[in-house]
């Protein structure tokens, strides 16, 4: 089983705007209740996960005020403020939750500004380092890019950037054409889409972004609320003395140098296992076998 020693350093680094972050980060979604709605069962445990993340050397946390809502950001502030200078916190705008926890678009200019101010208030920040404009796509959960114009969503956030409330802007749930449209409005430092071993629609997009020096941050890197299930994945993990999820994360790290990982967990033990994946070197035959999962 891979160890956590030097794992964050071994994951490498990549630019996120004018910040440089290690490629193994942490996604805070699971700090809230089930399906990122409501409070956690164990708030003390959630705080312990964040503190352990800092001890392990993580310097990139992905969050949003619609996790909870508000809950996750409030826990981050309680656990980590005042924030270390090395820590880059990234959030998302463009959605909200109803009283039943459903995900709804919240992306007119007034909503985007209010969403930003909610993030700043609950995190205790004067400006966000990076804001991803979350485009509500099609399909279950709105995670499939539609290709429609996104200027009306990006332009309001670009104006907030001009006011000094946002330093860098990314886009989420987008196609290449939408990224190109957004870059015509403001610099784009990252793209956040669904991508993992079994969901490979963004292969060409990732390679193009790497050539452009833009980070790619896969959400649901382990399959989402239903973890990846694959006989080939399990076989590779058994051969390497690792867990299947560690292999899936290691594959992403080796897939492209611009991929930044933000696996989420509410368990300190699981956090350590995720981080240790950065110490797992996949041999060529394992990569060939894993590549076939998404084929």
């Amino acid at each position: 089983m891979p160890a956590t020693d030097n794992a964050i350093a071994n994951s490498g680094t990549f630019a996120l705007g004018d910040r440089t972050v290690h490629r193994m980060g942490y996604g805070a979604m699971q700090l809230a209740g089930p399906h990122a709605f409501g409070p956690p069962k164990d708030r003390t445990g959630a705080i312990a996960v964040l503190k352990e993340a800092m001890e392990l050397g993580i310097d990139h946390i992905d969050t949003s005020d619609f996790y909870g809502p508000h809950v996750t950001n409030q826990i981050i502030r309680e656990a980590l403020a005042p924030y270390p200078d090395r820590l880059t916190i990234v959030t998302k705008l463009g959605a909200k939750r109803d009283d039943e926890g459903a995900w709804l678009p919240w992306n007119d200019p007034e909503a985007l500004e209010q969403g930003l101010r909610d993030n700043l208030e609950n995190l205790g920040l004067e400006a966000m380092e990076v804001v991803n404009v979350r485009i509500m796509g099609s399909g279950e959960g709105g995670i499939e890019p539609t290709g429609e114009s996104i200027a009306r969503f990006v332009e309001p956030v670009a104006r907030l950037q001009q006011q000094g409330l946002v330093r860098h802007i990314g886009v989420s749930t987008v196609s290449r054409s939408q990224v190109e449209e957004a870059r015509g409005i403001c610099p784009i430092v990252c793209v956040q889409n669904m991508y993992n071993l079994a969901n490979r629609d963004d292969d060409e997009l990732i390679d193009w972004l790497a050539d452009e020096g833009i980070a790619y941050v896969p959400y649901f890197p382990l399959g989402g609320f239903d973890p990846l299930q694959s006989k080939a994945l399990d076989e590779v993990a058994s051969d390497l003395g690792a867990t299947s999820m560690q292999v899936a994360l290691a594959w992403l790290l080796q897939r492209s140098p611009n991929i930044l990982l933000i696996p989420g967990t509410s368990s300190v033990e699981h956090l350590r296992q995720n981080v240790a994946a950065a110490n797992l070197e996949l041999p060529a035959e394992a990569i060939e076998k894993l590549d076939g999962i998404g084929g």
Side-chain angles (χ1 to χ4, degrees), residues 252-289:
L252 285 165
L253 284 174
Q254 291 181 226
R255 166 64 182 81
S256 182
N258 65 324
I259 288 181
L260 304 180
L261 296 187
I262 50 167
T265 180
S266 58
S267 159
V268 168
E269 180 181 359
H270 190 203
L271 172 68
R272 292 171 179 157
Q273 289 178 4
N274 288 343
V275 167
N279 280 337
L280 184 62
E281 185 72 24
L282 301 177
E285 59 270 21
I287 292 176
E288 182 178 1
K289 192 170 187 177

Side-chain angles (χ1 to χ4, degrees), residues 35-56:
H35 299 282
F37 188 65
K41 292 182 179 179
D42 182 3
R43 189 181 182 94
T44 300
I47 290 172
V49 167
L50 289 164
K51 290 185 177 296
E52 179 66 13
M54 295 298 98
E55 287 294 320
L56 290 169

Side-chain angles (χ1 to χ4, degrees), residues 20-282:
T20 297
V21 299
H22 286 99
R23 294 178 60 217
M24 178 65 78
Y26 173 73
M29 173 187 271
Q30 293 187 37
L31 293 182
H35 299 282
F37 188 65
K41 292 182 179 179
D42 182 3
R43 189 181 182 94
T44 300
I47 290 172
V49 167
L50 289 164
K51 290 185 177 296
E52 179 66 13
M54 295 298 98
E55 287 294 320
L56 290 169
I58 286 174
D59 55 13
H60 170 207
I61 291 179
D62 180 89
T63 186
S64 179
D65 212 56
F66 52 65
Y67 296 157
H70 315 308
V71 172
T72 294
N73 282 349
Q74 291 168 357
I75 292 173
I76 291 172
R77 182 177 184 176
E78 180 180 348
L80 302 181
Y83 303 107
D85 291 340
R86 66 180 177 84
L87 178 62
T88 298
I89 299 178
V90 179
T91 195
K92 290 173 288 297
L93 304 177
K96 67 176 181 179
R97 316 297 291 278
D98 66 13
D99 291 341
E100 303 301 320
W103 303 84
L104 304 175
W106 201 45
N107 50 22
D108 59 60
E110 293 77 16
L112 290 166
E113 179 173 354
Q114 185 59 54
L116 175 61
R117 294 190 182 278
D118 288 347
N119 275 276
L120 294 175
E121 178 180 356
N122 285 306
L123 287 167
L125 294 170
E126 295 183 357
M128 287 302 311
E129 197 63 51
V130 183
V131 166
N132 282 310
V133 184
R134 171 72 158 86
I135 309 301
M136 295 298 287
S138 60
E140 185 178 357
I143 61 174
E144 298 176 13
T146 63
E148 67 178 350
S149 172
I150 61 172
R152 67 188 186 279
F153 309 127
V154 177
E155 288 171 348
V157 181
R159 289 194 290 270
L160 295 169
Q161 183 183 41
Q162 293 166 4
Q163 297 173 30
L165 298 175
V166 177
R167 296 194 177 100
H168 302 291
I169 295 174
V171 284
S172 176
T173 314
V174 290
S175 63
R176 173 170 170 169
S177 64
Q178 290 172 318
V179 177
E180 291 174 328
E181 181 187 22
R183 293 179 80 189
I185 298 168
C186 60
I188 297 297
V189 303
C190 59
V191 170
Q192 190 173 110
N193 282 3
M194 180 176 178
Y195 183 82
N196 53 51
L197 262 174
N199 297 275
R200 304 276 298 280
D201 290 347
D202 275 0
D203 275 336
E204 292 184 4
L205 176 61
I206 290 169
D207 294 339
W208 174 69
L209 292 171
D211 290 340
E212 297 293 313
I214 297 173
Y216 182 91
V217 188
Y219 61 75
F220 294 160
L222 300 176
F225 295 112
D226 296 316
L228 292 171
Q229 300 291 327
S230 166
K231 181 180 179 181
L233 175 60
D234 293 342
E235 288 174 349
V236 170
S238 178
D239 290 343
L240 296 176
T243 70
S244 296
M245 297 302 99
Q246 286 174 328
V247 171
L249 292 172
W251 179 87
L252 285 165
L253 284 174
Q254 291 181 226
R255 166 64 182 81
S256 182
N258 65 324
I259 288 181
L260 304 180
L261 296 187
I262 50 167
T265 180
S266 58
S267 159
V268 168
E269 180 181 359
H270 190 203
L271 172 68
R272 292 171 179 157
Q273 289 178 4
N274 288 343
V275 167
N279 280 337
L280 184 62
E281 185 72 24
L282 301 177

